[in-house]
């Protein structure tokens, strides 16, 4: 048996290229990616033909503006495999969103795509201080969600031991930290806070535990929450950015020298910041909508994907020595999407589900808080007069039915409160359906 340890493919020198080298690499990859996509994906070929654009027109990075934008509507309209660029027999992995309105967004990967993904995850983990000897405990769920498998294989790629504990069962997670001496926790920040509070109530000694790094994602991690997690769990907390449509987690990650910014994996992604209303480019450092073009995707290539996330980007040097551009951490979006424990929830989705339940009026409100440490969603549902009765048993049965229907469709639990007819205040302007009380 060969006892030699295989050296991971992760190459940190990629992150210290000069800006000229980065731009040259991006241009070469962009030309190849546009040609690949044009030749293999009918939707893009037809769209580019309508715009009078051919792959040969891409001669500079600024020429990307000649290409069409892509958004979620395109991915839904071509569901499930209309944007795939390779035969399905060559696809080795499928992931999907939870589905916000109707069908989910489905993405695919071949072996090349998975290699790129593993490299991006290994990079963000290393930026956070993770090293090959670390023991990584996974508290993300495994399934169609990209987070669990993405972080799992990326950390293995770096050379770490991975403990695939999965989501839930907090008591077992704490036992594993003690028994397995795990050093890195992967979770949503809200679940990490839940673990922290649960452990404190049950005598877990965070100060002397083996954990030293938290890799958090799936939802924003506000600065105050990060500070609280670091002080109470005695670990270094970092978060990262990604989205299913362009790969999954790993688009950018936080280094320890610039805690409010994240380095973009520029050798794999070309970024733009555009005006959310006009789509026109904005200067470096000016906040706008982040648009991403993956430069290495083979199975499921997308061009100029509009993320609806608001950020800004700087190419100023970072104290850590990395030369890849940094994006401001995303805290807001151009739409009204909520992220509840890593799952995307839209008010319009709630509205559509309620519209299919007899006896429910069109009036509703959503309230979100995190007082318990976990994101908690309460949906106030106004009843029609014919559905309202004085019977507590009947009302509670109806409430549980609505609650179950919402969970089955959204894949995230919520509390439902029934409101008597006319009980929800009417608005004469734009109705505000959501009150977000999370801190």
């Amino acid at each position: 048996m060969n006892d030699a340890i295989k050296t991971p493919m992760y190459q940190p020198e990629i992150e210290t290229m000069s800006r000229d080298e980065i731009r040259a690499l991006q241009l070469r990859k962009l030309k190849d990616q546009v040609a690949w996509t044009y030749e293999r994906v009918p939707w893009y070929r037809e769209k580019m033909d309508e715009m009078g654009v051919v792959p040969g027109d891409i001669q500079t990075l600024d020429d990307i503006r000649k290409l069409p934008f892509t958004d979620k509507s395109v991915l839904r309209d071509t569901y499930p495999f209309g944007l795939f660029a390779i035969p399905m027999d060559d696809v080795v992995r499928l992931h999907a969103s939870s589905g916000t309105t109707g069908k989910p967004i489905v993405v695919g990967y071949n072996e090349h795509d998975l290699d790129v993904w593993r490299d991006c995850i290994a990079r963000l983990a290393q930026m956070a201080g993770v090293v090959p000897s670390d023991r990584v405990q996974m508290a993300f769920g495994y399934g169609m969600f990209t987070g669990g498998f993405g972080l799992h294989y990326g950390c293995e790629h770096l050379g770490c031991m991975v403990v695939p504990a999965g989501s839930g069962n907090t008591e077992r997670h704490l036992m594993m930290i003690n028994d397995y001496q795990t050093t890195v926790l992967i979770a949503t920040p809200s679940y990490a806070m839940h673990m922290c509070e649960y452990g404190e109530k049950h005598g877990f000694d965070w100060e002397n535990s083996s954990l030293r790094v938290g890799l958090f994602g799936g939802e924003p991690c506000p600065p105050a929450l990060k500070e609280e997690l670091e002080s109470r769990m005695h670990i270094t907390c970092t978060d990262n950015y990604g989205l299913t449509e362009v790969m999954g987690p790993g688009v950018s990650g936080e280094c320890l020298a610039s805690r409010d910014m994240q380095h973009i994996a520029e050798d794999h992604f070309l970024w733009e910041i555009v005006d959310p209303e006009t789509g026109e480019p904005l200067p470096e450092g000016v906040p706008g909508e982040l648009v991403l073009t993956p430069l290495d995707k083979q199975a499921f290539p997308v061009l100029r994907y509009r993320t609806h996330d608001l950020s800004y980007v700087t190419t100023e040097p970072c104290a850590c020595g990395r030369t890849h551009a940094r994006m401001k951490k995303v805290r807001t979006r151009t739409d009204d999407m909520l992220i509840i424990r890593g799952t995307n929830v839209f008010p319009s989705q709630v509205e559509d589900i309620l519209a299919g339940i007899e006896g429910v009026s069109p009036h509703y409100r959503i309230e979100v808080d995190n007082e318990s440490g976990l994101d908690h969603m309460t949906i106030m549902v106004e009843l029609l007069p014919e559905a309202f009765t004085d019977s507590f048993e009947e009302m509670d049965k109806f409430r549980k039915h609505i609650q179950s229907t919402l969970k089955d469709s959204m894949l995230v639990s919520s509390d439902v409160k029934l409101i008597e007819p006319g009980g929800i205040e009417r608005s004469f302007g734009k109705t505000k359906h959501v009150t977000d009380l999370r801190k």
Side-chain angles (χ1 to χ4, degrees):
M1 178 181 292
N2 185 357
D3 293 329
I5 297 175
K6 183 179 179 181
T7 302
M9 293 173 58
Y10 169 64
Q11 298 174 302
E13 62 271 16
I14 296 293
E15 300 176 83
T16 56
M17 295 187 297
S18 71
R19 292 304 304 170
D20 286 343
E21 289 174 321
I22 292 171
R23 301 283 284 178
L25 176 61
Q26 288 180 321
L27 179 57
R28 177 178 62 78
K29 286 190 171 186
L30 177 63
K31 289 179 177 180
D32 291 344
Q33 189 72 10
V34 171
W36 173 275
T37 306
Y38 181 86
E39 293 167 4
R40 292 168 173 80
V41 183
W43 187 91
Y44 281 111
R45 182 166 58 251
E46 293 169 9
K47 194 69 175 179
M48 289 174 63
D49 287 347
E50 289 175 8
M51 300 171 69
V53 181
V54 296
D57 293 333
I58 307 302
Q59 295 299 316
T60 70
L61 289 178
D62 287 341
D63 287 337
I64 195 170
R65 300 169 192 168
K66 299 177 181 179
L67 301 174
F69 284 116
T70 311
D71 60 20
K72 272 189 170 66
S73 66
V74 176
L75 276 62
R76 294 192 189 104
D77 291 345
T78 55
Y79 173 88
F81 306 133
L83 291 186
F84 280 52
I86 62 175
M88 294 308 297
D89 286 351
D90 294 333
V91 176
V92 297
R93 176 94 64 79
L94 287 181
H95 280 288
S97 69
S98 59
T100 54
T101 53
K103 296 293 187 179
I105 289 167
V106 177
V107 299
Y109 308 77
N110 64 4
E111 287 290 356
H112 166 82
D113 298 333
L114 292 180
D115 283 342
V116 171
W117 195 7
R118 285 188 283 264
D119 179 68
C120 289
I121 296 296
R123 185 179 305 179
L124 75 83
Q126 193 273 342
M127 279 193 283
V130 179
V131 295
S133 60
D134 273 314
R135 301 176 185 182
V136 179
Q137 188 160 316
M138 176 65 67
F140 278 159
Y142 287 88
M144 299 305 283
F145 169 55
T146 54
F149 284 104
L151 271 297
H152 180 122
Y153 289 112
C155 288
E156 283 188 346
H157 185 57
L158 184 60
C160 303
M161 173 199 297
V162 177
V163 181
S167 60
N169 200 334
T170 304
E171 183 179 359
R172 185 182 63 147
H173 269 291
L174 297 179
M175 179 196 73
M176 287 180 172
I177 293 172
N178 267 338
D179 294 352
Y180 304 160
Q181 292 291 286
T182 50
T183 54
V184 179
L185 174 67
I186 295 176
T188 62
S190 58
Y191 185 66
M193 178 53 70
H194 175 72
M195 288 180 64
C196 175
E197 294 177 339
Y198 184 93
E200 289 172 343
K201 291 178 182 178
H202 292 81
F204 189 87
D205 187 359
W206 287 111
E207 185 173 4
N208 294 302
S209 82
S210 55
L211 277 185
R212 61 182 190 83
V213 177
L215 286 177
F216 299 143
E219 63 190 12
C221 185
L225 176 58
K226 176 181 287 187
E227 291 175 9
E228 190 170 0
L229 286 167
E230 289 191 331
S231 65
R232 293 170 66 176
M233 297 180 77
H234 300 273
I235 60 176
T236 299
C237 302
T238 66
D239 51 0
N240 57 80
Y241 175 80
L243 58 164
T244 299
E245 296 86 344
V246 301
M247 182 181 69
V251 172
S252 66
E254 172 189 339
C255 74
L256 300 181
S258 183
R259 305 300 302 278
D260 62 339
M261 303 288 283
Q262 294 174 327
H263 287 277
I264 301 171
E266 286 194 281
D267 50 325
H268 297 307
F269 299 94
L270 183 61
W271 57 268
E272 303 171 72
I273 297 292
V274 305
D275 185 304
E277 299 295 330
T278 67
E280 291 299 310
L282 294 173
E284 180 178 324
V286 175
E289 181 181 352
L290 178 65
V291 175
L292 293 169
T293 298
L295 298 173
D296 295 282
K297 290 292 290 294
Q298 293 185 354
F300 186 81
V302 291
L303 303 176
R304 304 192 78 194
Y305 186 76
R306 298 194 65 158
T307 68
H308 296 294
D309 291 325
L310 295 175
S311 182
Y312 65 82
V313 176
T314 179
T315 58
E316 290 295 316
C318 180
C320 74
R322 294 176 179 84
T323 54
H324 287 200
R326 290 171 291 156
M327 58 179 279
K328 180 70 174 179
K329 291 183 181 180
V330 173
R331 297 290 304 279
T332 56
R333 293 176 51 85
T334 61
D335 57 23
D336 56 359
M337 185 183 79
L338 293 166
I339 301 178
I340 309 296
R341 298 191 292 280
T343 300
N344 297 345
V345 175
F346 289 81
S348 57
Q349 179 188 11
V350 174
E351 185 173 322
D352 290 342
I353 297 168
L354 294 178
I357 301 176
E358 188 175 350
V360 172
S361 87
H363 305 288
Y364 68 97
R365 293 288 187 273
I366 301 171
E367 184 173 289
V368 183
D369 66 64
N370 57 0
E371 291 182 359
S372 66
L374 286 173
D375 287 345
H376 178 263
M377 180 167 59
T378 301
I379 303 176
M380 277 69 77
V381 178
E382 183 177 303
L383 300 182
L384 295 173
E386 59 266 29
F388 191 79
T389 75
D390 292 329
S391 168
F392 174 83
E393 289 78 14
E394 288 186 25
M395 287 292 90
D396 194 54
K397 181 179 179 181
F398 191 36
R399 182 190 65 80
K400 290 178 179 177
H401 166 67
I402 297 172
Q403 196 165 281
S404 175
T405 302
L406 287 165
K407 182 178 181 181
D408 288 345
S409 298
M410 297 189 300
L411 305 182
V412 64
S413 60
S414 63
D415 282 339
V416 168
K417 290 185 178 180
L418 300 184
I419 307 298
E420 64 183 13
I424 291 182
E425 182 181 356
R426 306 306 193 239
S427 173
F428 295 100
K430 184 176 180 181
T431 301
K432 183 180 180 181
H433 289 294
V434 178
T435 300
D436 195 335
L437 302 176
R438 290 177 289 188
K439 300 177 182 178

